[in-house]
């Protein structure tokens, strides 16, 4: 049996555990951003109703310079009844009778006509059942853009998400008439009722974790090329002025979730922003020379001024105030690039200029720690790692010993980490190669072992975040913390590990006897100076998980063996009973859309005292909370 005893001088644990990287609009390709007009792909996923002729065009008089394209509807001859178009959303639309939906669009006639009739806007099942609709009279004399906004409350909830948003016009006497439409939108209620806000269930799932920070705008999504980089000023102000951009993973980012929406959401949840600025390097491999960096350094300054500037002295801060947030947002960390591995001159130019104007901020480098040596010496590094469950377990002592000179004043941000594969020789392969589709109990407990090392070294590891954060189940490219579809969310096993660590985190780390290096049982202990509660996190591995041979990673299916551990607490215990939060399951168990609650934490009571024993089940994460006296 392992016996854990404690040292007499606790150190301060101020580490932030969190996650990184959704906006709630429900229509896919709602504004025809960054598409090629007169192509079938520009129409996706819009669908014709009753043989309506549809085409995305470069409008001769666009709704805005940022949104040059529109959807042109031509009423065919010889058709009776209503014609129009429909949008199925992002693989479905959730129709809920308790919600009021905000729907809007712009329309105009490309030339003055004698059209007389109505628009009908609504929500409908593919079966034909109409859940809600509104009729709006329109006039063929309207050659300028007319804004239409309506509210839709469904008469019943849909049984499935196989529904569409539709717009139709009557055909009688209107054959071959043409109408242009732009910037169509459908919003359900949003988190905290914010305009252009967040989807409630996803936002609540994030808030449920008690995250301390949010890193944005999201890793490598800073830009695939210089031209398509994320630019803060293209994401603020009216939505009509946001052109969107081709994102780094192959789909269009609308930028409806812009800089102000990000920051407002962080305030609503109580998260601290860790904000990245683009620093001359693009994911596609291009890197700007030093003599071309000046305008991008200025753009980074402008971005920071928008966030924390004084409206009385900064025009950009005044812009923020005009958008409804007069007070500066809280900001202390700025990350320079993302996985840029930049040359010393790039770091020097960006940090030198930014720190001269904003000396109060802390700048995070995205180069390998100490390789190469860059100047001025970074005081914060962002470290990323995607690996196997066994790698994470074996490297729970990484920050105890792996980084040379790690306690020289340099601090670390474990900005991206996740166990993504069981195959250490082909991490980025396919499921047949061991790549995970969803986190498993095995992968999540491997991450938890690593996290005990992060918490133990919280004097130098100031923040940690699992990545990536969100995936739509119909468009997955990685292993994510939270999955969602049109109807709801799935909290992964790794989500529950992150939540257990986040919500059970003292502000004092209690040094104790250490886990065995390359052992099977890992733990960390912290205490709240406010409540006096002691949080003991225990993560149990079986030895087959720690076997690093290729064969073992592929075929290991040994029954997990429980392990006994004893604790000797050096302070009075208030209660004879503490609480146990236990996450355990079969090695390959996952929470999936088909079985979203397969593995969830269970809370129970446990006998405690100054000395007590605990048996950790195999493949488990345990949090023991013990009440103590001052």
């Amino acid at each position: 049996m392992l016996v854990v005893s404690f040292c007499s001088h606790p150190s301060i644990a101020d580490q932030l555990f969190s996650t990184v990287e959704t906006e709630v609009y429900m229509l896919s390709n709602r504004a025809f951003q960054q598409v090629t007009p007169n192509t079938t792909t520009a129409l996706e996923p819009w669908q014709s109703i009753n043989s309506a002729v549809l085409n995305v065009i470069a409008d001769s008089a666009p709704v805005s310079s940022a949104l040059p394209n529109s959807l042109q509807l031509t009423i065919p001859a010889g058709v009776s009844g209503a014609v129009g178009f429909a949008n199925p959303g992002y693989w479905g639309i959730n129709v809920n009778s308790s919600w009021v939906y905000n729907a809007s669009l712009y329309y105009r006639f490309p030339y003055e006509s004698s059209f007389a009739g109505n628009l009908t806007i609504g929500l409908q099942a593919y079966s034909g059942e109409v859940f809600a609709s509104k009729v709006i009279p329109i006039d063929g004399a309207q050659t300028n853009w007319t804004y239409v906004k309506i509210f839709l409350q469904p008469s019943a909830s849909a049984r499935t998400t196989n529904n569409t948003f539709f717009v139709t016009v009557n055909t009688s006497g209107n054959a071959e008439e043409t109408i242009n439409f732009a910037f169509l939108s459908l919003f359900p209620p949003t988190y905290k009722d914010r305009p252009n806000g967040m989807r409630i269930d996803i936002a609540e799932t994030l808030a449920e974790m008690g995250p301390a920070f949010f890193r944005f705008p999201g890793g490598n999504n800073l830009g695939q090329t210089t031209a398509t980089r994320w630019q803060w000023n293209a994401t603020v102000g009216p939505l009509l002025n946001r052109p969107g951009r081709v994102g780094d993973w192959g789909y269009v980012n609308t930028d409806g979730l812009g800089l102000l929406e990000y920051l407002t959401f962080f305030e609503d949840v109580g998260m601290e922003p860790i904000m990245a600025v683009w620093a001359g390097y693009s994911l596609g491999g291009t890197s700007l020379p030093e003599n071309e960096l000046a305008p991008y350094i200025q753009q980074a300054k402008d971005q920071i001024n928008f966030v924390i500037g004084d409206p009385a002295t900064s025009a950009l801060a005044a812009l923020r105030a005009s958008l409804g947030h007069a007070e500066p947002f809280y900001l202390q960390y700025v990350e320079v690039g993302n996985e840029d591995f930049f040359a010393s001159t790039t770091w020097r130019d960006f940090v030198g200029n930014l720190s001269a104007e904003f000396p109060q901020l802390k700048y995070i480098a995205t180069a390998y720690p100490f390789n190469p040596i860059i100047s001025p010496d970074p005081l914060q590094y962002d470290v990323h790692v995607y690996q196997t469950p066994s790698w994470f377990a074996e490297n729970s002592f990484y920050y105890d010993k792996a980084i040379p000179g790690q306690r020289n004043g340099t601090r670390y941000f474990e900005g991206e980490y996740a166990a993504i594969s069981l195959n250490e020789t082909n991490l980025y392969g396919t499921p047949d190669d061991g790549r995970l589709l969803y986190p498993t109990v095995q992968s999540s407990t491997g991450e938890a072992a690593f996290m005990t090392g992060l918490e133990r070294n919280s004097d130098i590891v100031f923040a940690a975040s699992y990545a990536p954060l969100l995936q739509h189940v119909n468009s997955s490219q990685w292993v994510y913390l939270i999955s969602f579809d049109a109807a709801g969310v799935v909290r992964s096993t790794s989500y529950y590990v992150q939540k257990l660590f986040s919500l059970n985190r003292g502000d004092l780390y209690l040094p104790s006897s250490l886990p065995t290096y390359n052992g099977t049982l890992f733990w960390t202990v912290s205490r709240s100076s406010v409540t006096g509660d002691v949080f003991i996190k225990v993560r149990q591995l079986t030895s087959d998980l720690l076997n690093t041979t290729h064969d073992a990673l592929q075929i290991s299916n040994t029954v997990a063996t429980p392990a006994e551990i004893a604790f000797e607490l050096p302070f009075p215990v208030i209660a004879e009973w503490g609480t146990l939060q236990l996450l355990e399951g079969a090695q390959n168990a996952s929470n999936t859309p088909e079985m979203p609650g397969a593995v969830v934490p269970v809370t129970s009571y446990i006998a405690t005292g100054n000395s007590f024993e605990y048996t950790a089940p195999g493949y488990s994460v345990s949090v023991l909370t013990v009440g103590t006296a001052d």
Side-chain angles (χ1 to χ4, degrees), residues 553-592:
L553 282 171
Q554 294 298 322
I555 64 173
S556 171
N557 61 0
T558 306
V559 174
T561 303
E564 294 181 339
I565 185 170
F567 292 94
E568 297 177 352
L569 304 179
F571 26 71
V573 175
I574 293 175
E576 296 180 356
W577 296 90
T579 59
L580 165 65
Q581 298 172 75
L582 176 63
L583 182 75
E584 65 172 328
Q587 176 180 349
N588 298 318
S590 292
N591 292 335
T592 65

Side-chain angles (χ1 to χ4, degrees), residues 9 15 85 94 178 182 207 250 261 264 284 305 334 355-356 370 377 400 468 509 517 573 606 624:
H9 299 292
Q15 186 178 47
F85 47 83
N94 188 7
T178 295
E261 287 83 8
T264 303
N305 260 316
V334 170
S355 61
F370 309 108
D377 292 339
D400 297 82
Y509 172 70
Y517 182 72
V573 175
I606 183 173
L624 286 69

Side-chain angles (χ1 to χ4, degrees), residues 291-615:
N291 62 2
E292 295 181 12
L293 292 178
Y296 306 101
I297 294 171
Q298 184 59 52
Q299 191 171 36
K301 289 182 178 180
D302 293 346
Q303 180 179 332
I304 296 170
N305 260 316
F306 178 86
V307 175
I308 63 172
D310 181 352
T313 59
S314 166
L316 298 167
L319 171 61
R320 180 196 70 232
S322 73
L323 297 173
H325 202 285
E327 291 299 314
F329 287 98
Y330 180 79
L331 181 70
Q332 65 168 329
Y333 289 105
V334 170
E335 186 166 53
V336 181
N338 178 77
E339 296 181 354
D340 280 21
F341 312 117
F342 31 59
S344 183
T345 53
T346 303
W347 169 256
R348 180 195 66 203
D349 291 348
F350 267 85
V351 173
N353 282 278
L354 295 179
S355 61
E357 187 164 339
F358 308 102
Q360 76 277 27
L361 298 180
K362 300 172 184 176
Y363 299 94
I364 304 172
T366 59
Y368 291 115
F370 309 108
N371 182 24
I373 300 298
I374 55 179
S375 179
D377 292 339
L379 296 181
Q380 290 84 212
Y381 278 103
D382 182 0
V383 181
H384 297 177
V385 59
Y386 295 100
Q387 264 292 350
T388 63
S390 61
W391 185 97
F392 281 106
E394 292 160 5
N395 284 273
S396 65
F397 283 83
Y398 180 82
Y399 284 100
D400 297 82
K401 58 180 61 178
I403 295 182
Q406 70 268 45
R407 281 176 170 81
N408 63 353
T410 307
R411 302 164 74 225
Y412 302 93
F413 170 29
E414 195 71 31
E416 297 182 19
Y417 68 94
I420 63 171
S421 176
L422 302 180
N423 186 345
E424 61 187 6
T425 63
N426 191 7
L427 287 171
Y428 306 108
T430 66
D432 291 338
D433 296 320
R435 180 69 178 271
L436 299 176
L437 294 176
Y438 296 95
T440 65
V441 172
Q442 180 184 21
S443 69
S444 301
T445 53
E447 294 155 3
F450 185 69
M451 291 167 69
T452 63
L454 300 180
E455 188 168 287
R456 182 172 62 250
N457 289 279
S458 58
D459 59 324
I460 60 171
V461 182
F462 70 91
S465 51
Y466 183 105
L469 178 60
L470 296 167
Q471 71 157 339
H472 195 293
V473 298
N474 292 101
S475 183
S476 173
Q477 301 176 4
W478 206 257
V479 182
Y480 289 75
L481 197 70
I482 299 167
S483 302
F484 67 94
D485 59 16
V489 300
V490 178
R491 297 161 173 83
S492 71
T493 52
S494 291
Y495 168 90
Y496 285 116
V497 167
Q498 294 287 324
K499 180 180 175 180
L500 286 172
F501 271 72
S502 176
L503 298 185
N504 300 281
R505 174 170 49 91
D507 55 353
L508 299 172
Y509 172 70
L510 301 183
S512 67
S513 52
L514 292 176
T516 303
Y517 182 72
N518 272 359
T520 63
L521 193 65
F522 300 83
W523 63 86
T524 183
V525 186
S526 63
R527 188 183 192 193
S528 168
S529 61
V530 177
T531 66
D533 287 344
V534 171
F535 305 105
I536 304 172
K537 302 182 182 75
V538 183
R539 176 264 188 263
Q540 163 67 355
L541 293 158
T542 53
S543 58
D544 60 339
L545 180 58
L546 292 175
N547 188 329
T548 60
T549 65
H550 178 78
D551 289 343
L553 282 171
Q554 294 298 322
I555 64 173
S556 171
N557 61 0
T558 306
V559 174
T561 303
E564 294 181 339
I565 185 170
F567 292 94
E568 297 177 352
L569 304 179
F571 26 71
V573 175
I574 293 175
E576 296 180 356
W577 296 90
T579 59
L580 165 65
Q581 298 172 75
L582 176 63
L583 182 75
E584 65 172 328
Q587 176 180 349
N588 298 318
S590 292
N591 292 335
T592 65
E594 295 73 28
M595 297 185 65
V599 183
V600 298
V602 175
T603 300
S604 62
Y605 291 105
I606 183 173
T608 61
N610 288 86
S611 298
F612 67 95
E613 299 175 1
Y614 175 67
T615 300

Side-chain angles (χ1 to χ4, degrees), residues 127-150:
S127 64
E129 180 182 2
V130 175
F131 299 106
S133 65
K134 288 283 179 69
V135 177
I136 308 295
I138 59 174
D139 184 354
Q142 293 294 331
T143 57
N144 294 322
W145 289 104
T146 299
Y147 180 58
V148 174
K149 179 178 180 178
I150 62 170

